[in-house]
Every structure is written in structure tokens, then in C-alpha cells.
Amino acid sequence: MTELANTLRQERERLGLTQAALAERVGVSRKTINTVENGIFVPSTILALKLALALGRPVDLLFQLVE
Amino acid sequence: MQNDVDKAERLSRARAILFYLLAATFVASGLIGLKATHSVSQLVGWIVLALLIALNLTPYPPLFRFNRVKQLMNDEATALHRQRSFAAGFWAAIATAVGLAVVARTWPLAADDVARLVVTAALAAALVRFATLELRAAK
């Protein structure tokens, strides 16, 4: 089964951002950032693109398909 | 000074705890009301309470369009939690209805008691599921 892995936590920590600070930048709640980082919640395309923009990374570097 | 994200987190946590209390109160009132004779005003009161609880489980987006904190409290992850809570409520209603169909063979129940139990199970399960998912996501 194909799953979605992400490097959100590493990229966020690289910029020295807290989950709340990233949530504020993207316009979602902290729990949404937390659940995305933990792989519990798969974000919409719009949110994935907003996260990539906020972190200054291409979206395919933040999210990868894993078999 | 709290920013909007902090406010939304605090209010979301309060909402989850309120939902647990609401579920417990609704179950208690549903069980206490069993086998009792209800006046029209009691029945209307119960229906209004059930509808208010059901409404609380929906996002009712037009009301939140211009309030940022409320938008944050009803973002993508919360929408998923609402969907999952609806599913939990659906299965609780099915399980309760099936259980009552079996029980009613030996212990006859009035139609309003059956309706009360099915609605109570559905709403309580949905409230508890939503509150649990919200609190777990915030950890």
C-alpha cells in the first residue's frame, strides 16, 4: 500500500519554527501541523502547497510517496 | 498576549471537553427518560437538545467565514475529525438499532424509547469520537 511520508518536522526545525509559528504562517491550527508531521493526517493539495511555500522548499521534497 | 493559533487551540480543547460532558449528560438524560411518560414540552425540549448537539457536530461554515479563530478551529484536520465522528455516530445508531431489535423480542419497548436510544447512541458516539480525535491531535 502506498503511503505519504513527509519531512515537515525536519524542514520546520531547520528554520527554527515551532508548530504554532508554522501554523500561524499557513493559516491552520497547530494540531493540523502536528497530525501532518506525525503522518496521521494527509493534507489537501492546497495545504501541501502552502506548507511548501511557507518553508521555502519544493512540495515534492516535503512529501514523498512510500511503497 | 495570545495569538489566533493559541486562542484556537485553547478553545478547541475546551470544545472537546464540553463535548465529553455533553455526551455524558445526553446519555444520562436518555436513560433516565426511558419508560417515562413524556409531556409534549419534554419531548420538544429533548428534540431541540438533540438538534443542537447535531448542529454542533457540523461545521456550519457561513457563520465562520469572517472569524479567523473560528476558521482555525474548523480547519482541514477538524473537518476530517467531523467526518470520522459522523461515521462513529452512524455505526453506533446501527448497532443500537440492531441490539434493540433483539432485546425487543423479550422486553417490549415503546417506539419513542427506541428512537430516544438510537439518537442518544448516535450523538454520544459522535461527540466522544470527535472530542477524542481533537485532544489526541493536539498532543
Side-chain angles (χ1 to χ4, degrees), chain A:
Chain A
M1 188 177 151
T2 307
E3 291 186 3
L4 189 69
N6 72 78
T7 57
L8 196 61
R9 188 185 304 272
Q10 295 92 307
E11 293 299 330
R12 173 177 63 75
E13 288 174 350
R14 180 181 61 81
L15 294 176
L17 292 170
T18 62
Q19 287 183 337
L22 180 58
E24 184 74 39
R25 280 189 184 192
V26 176
V28 294
S29 63
R30 189 196 63 81
K31 69 173 181 280
T32 295
I33 300 295
N34 188 42
T35 49
V36 173
E37 282 187 358
N38 291 323
I40 296 167
F41 174 58
V42 176
S44 68
T45 310
I46 291 173
L47 180 54
L49 289 168
K50 281 183 180 177
L51 286 166
L53 194 66
L55 294 168
R57 282 284 194 258
V59 75
D60 59 344
L61 195 143
L62 278 184
F63 298 96
Q64 307 88 32
L65 293 175
V66 179
E67 289 294 332

Side-chain angles (χ1 to χ4, degrees), chain A residues 20-21 24, chain B residues 1-9 68-69 72:
Chain A
E24 184 74 39
Chain B
M1 181 82 179
Q2 283 192 320
N3 63 22
D4 288 345
V5 170
D6 293 333
K7 271 187 210 164
E9 177 143 2
R68 184 155 190 269
V69 174
L72 290 171

Side-chain angles (χ1 to χ4, degrees), chain B residues 32-60:
Chain B
I32 288 167
L34 278 181
K35 293 281 184 185
T37 308
H38 304 289
S39 65
V40 173
S41 62
Q42 282 175 320
L43 182 65
V44 169
W46 181 79
I47 290 170
V48 168
L49 180 62
L51 289 175
L52 285 175
I53 290 173
L55 198 65
N56 260 298
L57 286 163
T58 65
Y60 34 101

